[in-house]
Amino acid sequence: MAGNTFGQLFRISTFGESHGTAIGVILDGCPAQLPIDLDFIQSELDKRRPGQSKITTQRKESDTVQILSGTFEGKSTGTPIAMLIPNEDQRSKDYSHNTDVYRPSHADYTYDAKYGIRDYRGGGRSSARETAARVAAGAIAKLLLKHHGIEVFAHVSAVGQIQAPNLAHDDIAELLISREENIVRCADPATANQMIEFIDGVRKDGDTVGGKVSCIIKNCPVGLGEPVFDKLHADLGKAMLSINAVHGFEYGSGFLGSEMRGSEHNDVFLVNGGQPKTLTNFSGGIQGGISNGMEINFSVAFKPVATIMHNQQTINAAGEAAEIKGKGRHDPCVVPRAVVIVEAMAALVLADHLLRNKSSKL
């Protein structure tokens, strides 16, 4: 179905279910002769894989990616790149209790109502397991962006009400080091320790908590984005809202911008190094839906994971009252593993618009 495909020129189609044989992705539109670094793709998947730490699900998946087509002698050939990630640690019996019972705030009811059939094992296609395929494709998008000097960086900026301070964005390499030195993937070490302690406490309570991931994109050229419906921020918003558990997206000044006056909010132009720049960046690097050369920044809000280890009231497929308690292995907070997913989806959007922009003028 079309709902499993994303992008126009740099296009991906994902397939597979949480407890099926494998998940995978077909990437079409990648330019030929791009060096394909398999170790880098695997390292990106390792950041998303389950079982990383005490604050993530304990499902054990190596997420070992196999490239089936589209490369030769370490480079893309211009033909579709197919990648497969086998499922290795399914425990379908953990879901036998909800074969005809709808879990609160999951996709059980809506999938059943829409299709008349649903894969109750881990949510099937609605499971966040599907996002591993996006990360694999997003890694190739990152390789393409790197070729053009574009950098994408995200980190956990909030867990519950614990907020990280705004980051100095000068050196992405340093931010990456700081982020990967802690299991919650917050680039501020002091805040990271608070977040980890809080998430572990929530886990021990059998509960879950939400959070935010903030992303910055540096060295994006001017001109990416298409009027009117494919504005760059609109496509970024769609990309982020397509990620499981995402409930909010804002870029630049976001919702706080609605509280400001135009005299405060306008980004005044100046010339720096012979190039137009803006004194402030409330626009988040995007004006009129088109990148203006400034740093692009946005934040993504994730809801608490819906599976909790408490009894909850619900209904079954017959419309009768029922009770359910969460079983299986689940994240108490999704944001540590979601960081690389946010980066992947941002990279896919930028790669697509980078290619589309090549036809904008003679």
Side-chain angles (χ1 to χ4, degrees):
M1 293 182 294
N4 298 298
T5 299
F6 184 81
Q8 292 199 20
L9 295 186
F10 197 92
R11 180 186 300 127
I12 67 167
S13 294
T14 70
F15 60 88
E17 293 80 34
S18 176
H19 285 232
T21 303
I23 55 174
V25 60
I26 297 173
L27 167 59
D28 201 3
C30 181
Q33 301 193 39
L34 177 70
I36 302 297
D37 185 342
L38 183 58
D39 289 338
F40 173 71
I41 298 171
Q42 190 61 59
S43 72
E44 292 289 279
L45 284 164
D46 289 345
K47 296 172 187 173
R48 198 222 68 97
R49 68 176 174 81
Q52 296 179 41
S53 71
K54 65 181 180 180
I55 61 171
T56 63
T57 171
Q58 294 306 296
R59 178 170 172 169
K60 300 296 183 182
E61 295 283 356
S62 68
D63 281 353
T64 303
V65 64
Q66 304 168 21
I67 298 181
L68 306 181
S69 67
T71 67
F72 181 67
E73 296 182 342
K75 292 184 178 181
S76 59
T77 62
T79 58
I81 299 173
M83 290 181 282
L84 191 72
I85 304 167
N87 290 328
E88 300 167 341
D89 189 27
Q90 311 97 312
R91 290 186 188 172
S92 299
K93 61 181 176 59
D94 286 346
Y95 299 90
S96 59
H97 67 296
N98 71 308
T99 56
D100 65 346
V101 176
Y102 301 135
R103 296 170 296 170
S105 288
H106 278 275
D108 297 348
Y109 168 69
T110 51
Y111 264 61
D112 212 1
K114 181 176 178 65
Y115 299 110
I117 185 173
R118 70 181 176 94
D119 185 346
Y120 61 83
R121 305 165 304 165
R125 185 71 177 148
S126 69
S127 169
R129 178 97 187 109
E130 178 271 341
T131 59
R134 308 188 197 195
V135 171
I140 294 180
K142 282 186 177 182
L143 292 172
L144 178 62
L145 297 181
K146 183 180 179 181
H147 181 75
H148 292 272
I150 303 171
E151 297 179 287
V152 180
F153 170 83
H155 85 127
V156 174
S157 55
V159 170
Q161 296 183 0
I162 301 172
Q163 303 275 343
N166 291 330
L167 300 175
H169 299 163
D170 294 336
D171 194 329
I172 296 294
E174 289 185 6
L175 291 177
L176 278 168
I177 292 171
S178 297
R179 184 190 77 185
E180 292 303 315
E181 285 180 342
N182 61 81
I183 58 176
V184 78
R185 291 202 168 87
C186 173
D188 181 69
T191 311
N193 291 332
Q194 297 177 49
M195 291 174 172
I196 293 166
E197 184 177 355
F198 180 61
I199 294 172
D200 198 35
V202 168
R203 178 186 64 83
K204 290 175 181 176
D205 289 340
D207 215 334
T208 62
V209 67
K212 295 179 183 177
V213 173
S214 294
C215 184
I216 58 176
I217 301 166
K218 295 181 71 69
N219 306 321
C220 181
V222 180
L224 302 194
E226 303 291 333
V228 167
F229 299 110
D230 291 348
K231 292 180 169 69
L232 185 58
H233 62 276
D235 278 0
L236 284 170
K238 179 180 180 179
M240 298 307 139
L241 289 165
S242 75
I243 300 171
N244 306 61
V246 170
H247 269 214
F249 169 82
E250 61 180 357
Y251 74 102
S253 61
F255 289 101
L256 287 176
S258 66
E259 302 173 10
M260 300 170 68
R261 297 189 178 196
S263 55
E264 300 172 284
H265 193 269
N266 285 348
D267 293 321
V268 176
F269 280 105
L270 50 82
V271 176
N272 186 349
Q275 296 295 322
K277 302 290 182 183
T278 59
L279 187 62
T280 54
N281 192 24
F282 293 118
S283 299
I286 303 170
Q287 293 172 326
I290 298 171
S291 60
N292 66 2
M294 297 294 289
E295 174 186 287
I296 296 172
N297 59 77
F298 62 86
S299 292
V300 186
F302 287 80
K303 70 168 185 170
V305 174
T307 298
I308 60 176
M309 300 306 158
H310 298 167
N311 291 335
Q312 297 182 87
Q313 297 302 309
T314 185
I315 60 171
N316 60 25
E320 301 165 334
E323 187 175 76
I324 191 169
K325 181 177 180 179
K327 292 183 180 180
R329 300 157 294 174
H330 305 277
D331 294 273
C333 182
V334 298
V335 289
R337 294 172 60 212
V339 165
V340 71
I341 305 170
V342 168
E343 288 184 350
M345 292 306 296
L348 288 166
V349 171
L350 287 172
D352 190 38
H353 277 280
L354 190 68
L355 297 180
R356 292 169 70 177
N357 194 50
K358 292 183 179 297
S359 64
S360 63
K361 57 180 178 289
L362 293 175

